Structure formats: structure tokens, C-alpha cells
Amino acid sequence: MIGRRLCRFMSAAALMLLMPGVALSETTCDHLTATGNAEYPPYLWRDPHNPHRLIGANADLIKHLGTALGLQIEVIYGGPWSRAQEEVRAGRIDMLAGYFLTAHREQTLNFIKPPFLFTRSMVWVRKKDAFAYHQWSDLIGRSGGTLVNNSFGQAFDNYAKANLSLEAVPTASQAFQKLILKRNDFVLFEQYPGMALAKKLGVEAAVEALEPPISSEGLYLALSPNADCIHPALQKQISDEMQKIVSSTLPQALVKSNLELWSAQQRDGLNP
């Protein structure tokens, strides 16, 4: 009898200790982590001085968000794009700094709306082997390259799955190299990151992006539902602050300044 009472007392005491602990955890998580596509200048790329860190417009925006909320948000390299996404889904990293919204992705991550930037996705080809392109159907019957777990918006993803032949590789560098080696007819990749990557690989004179873009999609901040520190109150604070950021000129200004930074790094021979 005494043993059972003692057991109940200890259980109640443990519960009382746990409840303040939960509240405490919601107020003491002042260090968060973010990641994204590390081959994505001017939005994100690896810091040539510290390859474990990502820099770029998205990183600067996330740091600004952290400062506004009194948090330190570290933007880190989470591996190739497909692995970085998995790190966030699993909660080992708290958020993705720049993610296209699809119905499938919305089932696994919490998207902060609206998007903070928009980016155009293009059909990249070899200049000598360019083909007539005006609409998605012009890609049917041709061999294309893309990244593992990449998206170009729900509408195009659905069309591509039903109609196109796309080979997914881990990195954009690999996709562009396969294009140059004529192992693919085209590569699907965003406009500015594609321009930057072509310059880095020394193939800017050999490739071009065809108009029109296959899509123009928003870049969202996406939070992991499995992250210990992303509780509902913090998620609301993040959402409220992102509304302010999106309504300002800051996102576009960060793209401009990071285009300049990337170009300066290339001139100085600092290839990440």
C-alpha cells in the first residue's frame, strides 16, 4: 500500500517537474538552425571561408528574422539538396530557407506564407544544340536533367511526371556536366543559380536558358514539425515577422547585394 502511494506521489512529482520543463523549453530555445540548397547563388551557397556555413540572400534574410525575434539562427550546410531536405523533415535541422510549395511537401513541413521571394525556373541547353521551345510540350521526347527531390511547382511537377523523361542527380554541377557531355538534352534549373553555376564551371559560353520559364515559383520558409524548439507560439512569431519582411524591400535588396558578393568572390577566385 505504502509502495503504491509512493509510486503515485513520485509520478505526480515527475509530472509537476515536467510541466515547467515544457514551458521552459519554449522560452529558452534561443539558437535555431536552418539550411537549404547549397548550390543556389545568389540565394544560398557555401561560404568559401567556412564550408560548414551557407551564405546568400536567403541566409541574410533568415538572420534578420532571428535578430528581430531575439534568436540566433545559424544557416548551415546540410549536405546535397536531397539530404538537406531530409535533415529538416527529421527535425535535425529546424528550417529550410527557401522551398517551393507543393501538396506533398506541405504534408511534411510547416510553410510560412507568403513566399519571401520568387524565382524563375528555366530550360538550360547547349547553345549549339538549342531547340525550338515555347511550351512544356516541346520537351516531350527529349532527355532532361534535374536534381533529386527538386520541384518546379505543383503544376509542372504533375505534367513532368506524366509526360517527360527526367533523370535526377544529387547536385546541379553534375546535371550541368551531363548536359555539356551530351548525356542530356536539357537541364531544368533556376535562372540566377544557373547563371552563377555556369560561370563557376566555366561553361557560360556553352549553355543558355530558353524562354519562357517553365515556372515562376515562390521561395518559402519551411519549418520542421519535428524540431524540438519550433513550438506553436514561436511559429506564430516567425509568421508575423515574416509578414513584415515580405512587405518590405529587404528581400529584393538582399538578392541584389548577394549577386554583387557572388560576382566579387568569382573575381577573387573564391569558388565555394
Side-chain angles (χ1 to χ4, degrees), residues 26 29-34 61-73 94-97 110-116 220-225 227-247:
E26 293 190 353
C29 283
D30 57 357
H31 181 273
L32 302 177
T33 53
L61 186 145
I62 296 304
K63 289 178 183 176
H64 176 90
L65 169 68
T67 299
L69 296 175
L71 301 171
Q72 180 186 356
I73 305 179
D94 297 305
M95 62 185 75
L96 276 172
N110 297 323
F111 282 76
I112 301 298
K113 301 173 184 178
F116 57 84
Y220 290 82
L221 177 62
L223 311 180
S224 174
D228 292 337
C229 288
I230 306 289
H231 51 81
L234 178 57
Q235 183 169 326
K236 185 179 187 310
Q237 288 179 303
I238 290 173
S239 179
D240 291 346
E241 192 58 41
M242 284 297 290
Q243 294 274 357
K244 298 176 187 176
I245 292 173
V246 170
S247 64

Side-chain angles (χ1 to χ4, degrees), residues 18-29:
L18 179 61
M19 291 173 64
V22 172
L24 185 63
S25 69
E26 293 190 353
T27 58
T28 58
C29 283

Side-chain angles (χ1 to χ4, degrees), residues 54-272:
L54 297 183
I55 58 177
N58 294 6
D60 288 346
L61 186 145
I62 296 304
K63 289 178 183 176
H64 176 90
L65 169 68
T67 299
L69 296 175
L71 301 171
Q72 180 186 356
I73 305 179
E74 187 180 4
V75 187
I76 62 175
Y77 175 61
W81 182 217
S82 58
R83 194 174 89 205
Q85 294 173 63
E86 178 55 35
E87 291 293 297
V88 175
R89 280 193 292 266
R92 291 183 289 270
I93 299 176
D94 297 305
M95 62 185 75
L96 276 172
Y99 208 31
F100 288 177
L101 176 63
T102 69
H104 174 71
R105 290 176 173 183
E106 204 166 18
Q107 292 174 5
T108 57
L109 294 179
N110 297 323
F111 282 76
I112 301 298
K113 301 173 184 178
F116 57 84
L117 282 169
F118 283 85
T119 181
R120 304 199 319 162
S121 295
M122 314 298 291
V123 177
W124 290 87
V125 299
R126 296 180 299 276
K127 284 185 179 179
K128 292 183 179 180
D129 297 315
F131 51 86
Y133 167 75
H134 304 287
Q135 56 194 356
W136 295 349
S137 60
D138 293 328
L139 302 176
I140 294 176
R142 302 182 185 275
S143 170
T146 185
L147 300 188
V148 175
N149 290 342
N150 211 9
S151 169
F152 301 98
Q154 190 71 63
F156 182 84
D157 290 352
N158 291 343
Y159 182 85
K161 185 176 181 180
N163 299 284
L164 302 184
S165 174
L166 297 178
E167 179 186 9
V169 295
T171 70
S173 295
Q174 288 175 286
F176 271 68
Q177 287 162 354
K178 293 188 69 165
L179 177 65
I180 294 299
L181 293 172
K182 298 186 177 182
R183 293 170 63 184
N184 281 324
D185 299 319
F186 64 90
V187 167
L188 301 178
F189 200 53
E190 284 81 348
Q191 182 180 25
Y192 284 141
M195 292 167 59
L197 180 60
K199 186 170 184 178
K200 174 187 172 183
L201 296 175
V203 299
E204 66 238 83
V207 300
E208 65 177 329
L210 303 180
E211 293 281 357
I214 58 170
S215 63
S216 180
E217 291 293 320
L219 289 173
Y220 290 82
L221 177 62
L223 311 180
S224 174
N226 297 313
D228 292 337
C229 288
I230 306 289
H231 51 81
L234 178 57
Q235 183 169 326
K236 185 179 187 310
Q237 288 179 303
I238 290 173
S239 179
D240 291 346
E241 192 58 41
M242 284 297 290
Q243 294 274 357
K244 298 176 187 176
I245 292 173
V246 170
S247 64
S248 74
T249 59
L250 178 64
Q252 290 73 24
L254 292 178
V255 171
K256 182 176 183 296
S257 63
N258 278 280
L259 274 170
E260 294 169 356
L261 174 61
W262 168 264
S263 298
Q265 288 184 347
Q266 303 317 293
R267 288 194 301 270
D268 294 340
L270 296 175
N271 289 320

